[in-house]
Amino acid sequence: KAGVTQTPRYLIKTRGQQVTLSCSPISGHRSVSWYQQTPGQGLQFLFEYFSETQRNKGNFPGRFSGRQFSNSRSEMNVSTLELGDSALYLCASSLEPTSGGTSTDTQYFGPGTRLTVL
Amino acid sequence: DAKTTQPPSMDCAEGRAANLPCNHSTISGNEYVYWYRQIHSQGPQYIIHGLKNNETNEMASLIITEDRKSSTLILPHATLRDTAVYYCIVRVAHNSGYSTLTFGKGTMLLVSP
């Protein structure tokens, strides 16, 4: 079974631009979560989507948004890019929403998209 | 969220067992312990998780103390490919019904020949 895929793998943008990142979950997985990883802050939760609805959101500004499609694929968008948005953006999928800690909602991560803002 | 404490780094000789400790003294009864690892610049890889009982899979074993305040991840025969940052995470179920993975700084395991 194919793992989580993310496109593009690398991206370079300039300040003020916007960017859209894509994530395809493992086949059959219906929940998608997004994380940002930076050297200073580590791995931080952005948001989670299930059934095309945002179910949970981390502490990020409104410039960060996302959506999920009926086939469970997800995109995240960052508008008005800042230098501090340079990071590895990770997508994780699970069978069901992260409702606790049972095996059905173990999250599996993709390889990430490396975003560099100049 | 329950806080975890891990040593920042550990060394292990190739072929030997790697025992990675994690303290989670404030863990609650319904909170699971998860372990992930991340090889440089790749996405985190799920290893194992448990609640009370010890768990084993093809990658590792997880030993949780009886009081659940600490756990140990065991890689029985470490290889060079096991060099990575290992994250111990206590998964909390929030009142909203959803939970998140809160990553700390983890333990950098260096496996040497």
Side-chain angles (χ1 to χ4, degrees):
Chain A
K1 186 183 279 192
V4 178
T5 57
Q6 293 186 244
T7 57
R9 292 293 312 279
Y10 301 91
L11 204 51
I12 299 175
K13 292 286 188 179
T14 57
R15 279 181 298 175
Q17 287 187 310
Q18 73 166 16
V19 66
T20 299
L21 312 181
S22 181
C23 171
S24 292
I26 293 171
S27 178
H29 284 196
R30 300 190 296 161
S31 176
V32 173
S33 297
W34 288 90
Y35 294 80
Q36 180 197 64
Q37 185 173 31
T38 60
Q41 299 297 321
L43 261 155
Q44 293 185 289
F45 171 75
L46 278 158
F47 28 64
E48 177 183 14
Y49 285 87
F50 176 76
S51 293
E52 303 176 62
T53 302
Q54 187 181 92
R55 296 303 183 99
N56 204 356
K57 189 177 188 302
N59 189 24
F60 278 83
R63 298 186 298 107
F64 292 82
S65 63
R67 59 177 176 169
Q68 187 181 35
F69 302 96
S70 58
N71 61 359
S72 296
R73 192 177 68 84
S74 177
E75 289 181 347
M76 68 162 282
N77 183 276
V78 188
S79 62
T80 318
L81 284 167
E82 301 176 359
L83 295 179
D85 297 333
S86 293
L88 181 66
Y89 288 89
L90 293 156
C91 166
S93 76
S94 59
L95 281 169
E96 299 292 335
T98 54
S99 59
T102 59
S103 295
T104 56
D105 57 21
T106 295
Q107 293 186 2
Y108 298 90
F109 286 80
T113 294
R114 172 75 61 186
L115 171 65
T116 301
V117 182
L118 302 175
Chain B
D1 291 358
K3 180 182 169 71
T4 61
T5 304
Q6 299 178 254
S9 64
M10 292 183 65
D11 294 326
C12 180
E14 190 178 19
R16 302 297 295 269
N19 298 282
L20 292 91
C22 178
N23 286 320
H24 31 78
S25 58
T26 60
I27 195 170
S28 298
N30 64 342
E31 293 173 344
Y32 283 74
V33 179
Y34 275 75
W35 283 83
Y36 284 79
R37 72 181 182 184
Q38 187 173 26
I39 297 170
H40 184 61
S41 294
Q42 297 182 19
Q45 178 187 23
Y46 166 77
I47 302 173
I48 200 167
H49 75 281
L51 181 64
K52 295 180 183 178
N53 301 319
N54 298 337
E55 303 287 346
T56 296
N57 62 20
E58 65 280 2
M59 288 185 67
S61 295
L62 174 61
I63 309 297
I64 302 175
T65 58
E66 193 170 340
D67 62 7
R68 302 189 69 240
K69 293 185 177 181
S70 65
S71 60
T72 301
L73 178 75
I74 301 172
L75 308 179
H77 304 286
T79 70
L80 299 179
R81 292 183 179 183
D82 292 323
T83 291
V85 177
Y86 287 76
Y87 296 99
C88 169
I89 301 160
V90 173
R91 184 106 173 246
V92 180
H94 300 287
N95 292 333
S96 61
Y98 301 99
S99 64
T100 57
L101 295 175
T102 301
F103 287 79
K105 295 188 183 300
T107 295
M108 174 66 219
L109 174 68
L110 177 62
V111 181
S112 304

